[in-house]
Amino acid sequence: MSKNYTWLYNRLRSMSLPEMIFRMRQFVQKKTERSSMGWQPLVRLARLPEPILPFDPNQTPAVTFATEQPIFRHTIDINQSIDWHLDVSTGLRFPKTYAKDADVRSGRNGSAKYVWEINRLLFLPQLAVQYRQTGDRKFLTQFVAISRSWFAENPYLTGVNWYSNIEVNIRLINWFISWNILDASALAETDPDFKSFVELQWLPVIYQHCVYSHKNPSLYSSANNHLISEYAGLFIAASFWEFPESATWRAYGKSGLEREMLRQHSRNGVNREEAAEYIQFITDFFLIPYVVGERTGNPFSLAYDGHLIKVLRYIAQFLDCQGTFPRYGDEDDGRVLLLDDCHPHNNFKSLLRSGAILSRDPLFKQLSAEWGKSPRFDLKNYVLFGQAGQAIFESIPTQYDLLGSTFYEDEGHFILRKQEIDDNLGQLREIYIHADAAPLGFLSIAAHGHADALSFLMHVDGQVFLADPGTYSYQTDPEWRNYFVSTRAHNTVCIDGQNQAHQAGALLWLDHYETQTLSARTTSEFDQLSAVHNGYKHLNCRHQRTFLFDRTSDVLTLTDVVENYGKQSRLVEVMFHLGPDIQLDVTSQNTFILTHPDTTREVVLAVSPELQTEVVTGQIEPARLGWYSDGFYQLQPTTTIRAFMTIEPGQLITLTHQAMIYSISSPAIQVSNQLTHQFASLSNHLKLPIS
């Protein structure tokens, strides 16, 4: 109980006075809407809408989707009866009580995320595709049976599946896609049973979802990706189904999307939530309405179109040569659509194919495929753009240009990169470093940010050497949640084991740190970045980090300046978290050799000699350390190099670490001895700033 009061107090701290008034109105609405449980609207449309998406089953490659659907670390078989309120990971079930009373935080009914993932109905468009491609009525029968089951088990405002508006709108989008693939209006003309299903069951539930979406906006400190989803789902639905309120809903959704496109992205198209994996999820919420607007003669503004291309261009720059993204911030494997025609599917690359169609930029087409391979056209893009889109994609010339470094200085994201062609192997080689000097997150609660100021990661030839360990969970498993968002779980400096901001709840940060980029420049020979943050001012400490990447010698040098201007000694820890497939050899107390089985290059990591070091793998006590989460609710041990020392009151220390990437054929000891020479000459040449 005391934890609940503490969370409520901290949540109120994050709110403005207007938001408090809004929350009071929501509270009153919650009480008054209880009487609407089970509401069954009478819905009649003048006509059933015809498809606006150009899906031709005869032009798409035959696709077979698995009946075993992935639900994080579990699966469900959609050929079997589905319990819509069951958390399949724990066997616990949410009660079918008033939706807004649902307990999604304590875990006593299981994980709402598991339940919601099933109830997004991402598999319904898959069934629709298989029916249209094969003509086999078993897929249509299954589509209708699953839908009827959902309608029966989830009356309006009953159960946890009516709790979150983002879930409501993802269902709306998947019903829209399914209707278009099925050509439901034509099917209803020839199939009386299907017509009855559409008119008496499906349309009323779609209408309920539209009403709920419009009445329950996520505003103020919650106005992040949830709000985008609400505008997107309602705009798409109201553009397709002509309900009495559709004109109002269309205008509401469109103006909201126009506003949030600019508000939730920087001028360079970088999303402000500071959660990299979320970018593919959020971008679909902007892309699909864009397509619908074009198809219905209600296009978005030129500013919206231009900003969408900027978002896609950031995606193009922040992927490594294997299409792996820098895993800063939260990730939960969220998808708006799950139309995959090959596995594993990379939705970032699918978005780049969309970008190629919209902009006709060869770079998007190039980066949507593996190096040297012919870019393919995926099913999701075919559903959205049809044969005309595929023709545009195939008409774009295929080129293979090497990418360099890209600095997003205003946003605090820096991509340090070297690409070259190995003529002997005919392969692309890449050193990829992402340095993070960005804010904690978006809005007052920064819900999906991690305390990772001045952290970095390193990929070599598309393999993860120095990693961001991931997310694992949100509301449930608080000990794991606290670890994965913590400063200690990132490749940066941690002082006294404390975070750089105050974690007041699973999705609530207070006392956000501020970052400042002191200098940033890139040349043909090197990249240099120096930044500082104030996240440890409550400890009377300060951390500044300089990155220096020499592309001529493939050396990354980190310089940490830590100042203790207080009256107490402090523990300084410098963390290096390794990817889970990295093998580690220790050549001396502070020199480590990192290897990966899928690349012919290795990394020698030399940690500052002033620090003591220890290697930790899969530790629980005395504190969690050495863990990696490859996806939501996925967990495995990994190796962490922990370097540490005590800094005395009034002391300022400078710590220098170096990582050199070299071919396996190079003598490791020789490489290790070269490291100190490299930094001395480069730092003197560049006159690194210490502020």
Side-chain angles (χ1 to χ4, degrees):
M1 185 66 70
S2 62
K3 288 183 178 180
N4 291 336
Y5 283 124
T6 300
W7 178 87
L8 179 60
Y9 167 74
N10 287 324
R11 188 66 180 89
L12 289 171
R13 282 183 58 195
S14 70
M15 296 182 189
S16 63
L17 179 59
E19 178 171 3
M20 290 183 184
I21 296 172
F22 169 72
R23 298 295 176 189
M24 288 300 298
R25 289 174 180 166
Q26 279 191 319
F27 179 78
V28 173
Q29 178 181 329
K30 172 182 173 180
K31 297 298 182 183
T32 58
E33 282 189 341
R34 187 183 296 270
S35 61
S36 298
M37 286 179 65
W39 165 59
Q40 288 285 348
L42 294 175
V43 178
R44 289 289 185 270
L45 297 184
R47 62 175 182 84
L48 297 181
E50 297 179 356
I52 61 172
L53 297 181
F55 181 79
D56 183 347
N58 298 317
Q59 298 298 323
T60 58
V63 180
T64 301
F65 292 104
T67 60
E68 292 283 340
Q69 293 286 313
I71 309 295
F72 305 130
R73 66 170 179 257
H74 292 76
T75 61
I76 62 165
D77 186 347
I78 61 172
N79 284 337
Q80 306 298 318
S81 177
I82 299 173
D83 187 334
W84 300 107
H85 303 273
L86 177 70
D87 168 12
V88 296
S89 70
T90 64
L92 297 174
R93 183 177 287 101
F94 281 82
K96 292 168 66 174
T97 53
Y98 180 45
K100 295 184 179 182
D101 287 341
D103 175 8
V104 300
R105 290 189 174 88
S106 72
R108 70 168 59 97
N109 296 314
S111 166
K113 284 288 291 180
Y114 260 103
V115 178
W116 290 336
E117 190 71 14
I118 297 170
N119 284 268
R120 289 179 173 183
L121 307 179
L122 299 173
F123 41 81
L124 287 186
Q126 299 176 9
L127 291 172
V129 168
Q130 290 181 106
Y131 169 66
R132 288 299 308 282
Q133 288 190 336
T134 66
D136 191 334
R137 285 192 66 87
K138 73 177 182 182
F139 295 114
L140 179 62
T141 300
Q142 188 176 16
F143 181 98
V144 172
I146 289 174
S147 299
R148 282 178 167 153
S149 169
W150 195 93
F151 303 158
E153 293 298 316
N154 292 276
Y156 187 66
L157 292 183
T158 303
V160 72
N161 295 314
W162 287 98
Y163 178 90
S164 172
N165 206 353
I166 191 172
E167 308 304 322
V168 165
N169 285 278
I170 291 174
R171 284 194 291 273
L172 272 177
I173 294 170
N174 278 274
W175 283 330
F176 160 77
I177 296 291
S178 297
W179 185 297
N180 276 266
I181 293 172
L182 287 172
D183 192 357
S185 53
L187 188 58
E189 291 179 2
T190 60
D191 187 327
D193 183 62
F194 186 77
K195 182 177 182 180
S196 175
F197 160 72
V198 167
E199 293 184 342
L200 300 181
Q201 294 180 287
W202 198 3
L203 280 174
V205 175
I206 290 170
Y207 180 74
Q208 288 174 338
H209 278 61
C210 291
V211 170
Y212 185 99
S213 176
H214 189 246
K215 291 178 67 174
N216 294 274
S218 301
L219 300 179
Y220 296 100
S221 59
S222 298
N224 53 13
N225 66 87
H226 286 243
L227 183 60
I228 298 171
S229 77
E230 293 156 18
Y231 290 139
L234 194 56
F235 174 79
I236 290 167
S239 297
F240 189 63
W241 292 286
E242 281 295 337
F243 300 116
E245 303 92 338
S246 284
T248 299
W249 291 341
R250 270 197 305 275
Y252 167 83
K254 184 180 181 183
S255 64
L257 286 168
E258 291 271 10
R259 181 174 59 252
E260 297 306 311
M261 171 64 87
L262 301 180
R263 178 174 171 267
Q264 296 204 36
H265 294 98
S266 74
R267 64 183 181 88
N268 292 312
V270 180
N271 187 264
R272 298 186 190 278
E273 282 209 72
E274 300 303 332
E277 192 258 357
Y278 265 51
I279 293 174
Q280 58 81 25
F281 185 59
I282 292 165
T283 305
D284 270 342
F285 284 132
F286 287 112
L287 173 66
I288 301 170
Y290 170 87
V291 173
V292 171
E294 292 290 315
R295 295 281 175 186
T296 57
N298 187 20
F300 285 82
S301 69
L302 292 177
Y304 184 99
D305 298 357
H307 225 70
L308 179 58
I309 296 300
K310 288 182 179 180
V311 172
L312 295 168
R313 199 166 299 282
Y314 178 62
I315 291 173
Q317 293 294 337
F318 93 153
L319 298 179
D320 75 6
C321 63
Q322 293 294 328
T324 303
F325 61 92
R327 303 178 67 206
Y328 60 82
D330 270 348
E331 55 184 287
D332 63 5
D333 305 336
R335 293 284 293 279
V336 180
L337 297 176
L338 201 58
L339 284 170
D340 299 352
D341 58 342
C342 75
H343 297 278
H345 181 80
N346 186 325
N347 196 41
F348 281 113
K349 290 195 171 186
S350 177
L351 285 165
L352 293 181
R353 296 179 194 115
S354 303
I357 297 168
L358 297 180
S359 69
R360 293 170 169 74
D361 186 339
L363 177 68
F364 288 136
K365 183 177 181 180
Q366 168 194 330
L367 298 179
S368 72
E370 292 184 34
W371 177 265
K373 293 187 177 180
S374 298
R376 67 179 186 87
F377 198 67
D378 60 290
L379 180 59
K380 175 188 154 194
N381 275 297
Y382 188 89
V383 168
L384 294 178
F385 297 103
Q387 289 177 266
Q390 184 172 10
I392 292 172
F393 184 78
E394 292 176 351
S395 71
I396 299 170
T398 301
Q399 62 188 49
Y400 297 101
D401 296 329
L402 297 179
L403 296 181
S405 299
T406 308
F407 284 10
Y408 293 89
E409 186 171 346
D410 292 344
E411 298 84 357
H413 288 284
F414 299 85
I415 299 159
L416 291 58
R417 184 182 346 237
K418 176 183 178 180
Q419 288 189 345
E420 58 188 348
I421 303 297
D422 187 323
D423 293 328
N424 294 326
L425 299 176
Q427 294 178 349
L428 175 68
R429 291 158 62 94
E430 179 185 67
I431 300 171
Y432 172 100
I433 299 158
H434 176 270
D436 188 343
L440 175 61
F442 187 52
L443 303 175
S444 62
I445 62 175
H448 294 296
H450 290 187
D452 57 0
L454 308 191
S455 65
F456 78 106
L457 52 82
M458 176 186 286
H459 302 174
V460 178
D461 301 330
Q463 308 304 327
V464 178
F465 275 71
L466 291 164
D468 182 311
T471 296
Y472 183 67
S473 73
Y474 287 168
Q475 300 285 7
T476 56
D477 305 286
E479 293 84 3
W480 286 114
R481 173 63 177 171
N482 295 346
Y483 170 69
F484 278 104
V485 303
S486 72
T487 301
R488 292 186 92 234
H490 294 86
N491 298 323
T492 188
V493 169
C494 180
I495 299 178
D496 269 6
Q498 297 190 28
N499 289 329
Q500 300 158 336
H502 173 47
Q503 186 188 10
L507 295 166
L508 174 60
W509 290 99
L510 300 177
D511 305 324
H512 299 191
Y513 54 74
E514 295 178 353
T515 57
Q516 179 185 2
T517 299
L518 303 174
S519 64
R521 54 177 169 157
T522 180
T523 73
S524 60
E525 296 180 347
F526 66 84
D527 298 318
Q528 181 267 330
L529 159 69
S530 184
V532 66
H533 73 88
N534 66 352
Y536 288 121
K537 62 183 178 182
H538 65 291
L539 299 179
N540 296 312
C541 290
R542 181 175 177 277
H543 173 218
Q544 176 181 324
R545 171 167 278 186
T546 298
F547 298 83
L548 178 61
F549 177 43
D550 177 16
R551 280 190 291 274
T552 62
S553 58
D554 296 345
V555 175
L556 171 68
T557 301
L558 299 178
T559 302
D560 288 315
V561 178
V562 181
E563 181 183 5
N564 179 2
Y565 53 86
K567 298 181 179 179
Q568 298 181 38
S569 59
R570 302 292 182 185
L571 174 66
V572 174
E573 296 175 291
V574 187
M575 299 297 186
F576 300 94
H577 299 273
L578 310 187
D581 297 323
I582 296 300
Q583 299 170 354
L584 180 68
D585 289 326
V586 182
T587 62
S588 67
Q589 176 66 29
N590 284 46
T591 303
F592 307 87
I593 299 177
L594 285 54
T595 59
H596 190 286
D598 293 332
T599 180
T600 58
R601 292 197 286 180
E602 301 178 344
V603 175
V604 171
L605 175 65
V607 177
S608 182
E610 291 86 357
L611 299 169
Q612 300 180 60
T613 61
E614 64 171 341
V615 176
V616 180
T617 302
Q619 175 180 289
I620 297 292
E621 299 292 344
R624 283 170 169 78
L625 195 62
W627 294 95
Y628 186 83
S629 174
D630 194 38
F632 207 62
Y633 284 119
Q634 305 286 335
L635 186 67
Q636 62 181 305
T638 192
T639 299
T640 296
I641 300 169
R642 172 179 175 261
F644 57 95
M645 68 174 294
T646 299
I647 181 172
E648 300 300 332
Q651 187 178 6
L652 183 148
I653 58 173
T654 299
L655 307 171
T656 301
H657 330 281
Q658 296 180 309
M660 182 171 184
I661 299 89
Y662 68 100
S663 177
I664 287 176
S665 59
S666 302
I669 295 178
Q670 176 183 343
V671 171
S672 178
N673 291 336
Q674 289 175 349
L675 287 170
T676 52
H677 302 292
Q678 297 285 354
F679 177 70
S681 60
L682 286 167
S683 59
N684 288 335
H685 172 68
L686 294 173
K687 295 183 170 57
L688 303 180
I690 303 295
S691 71

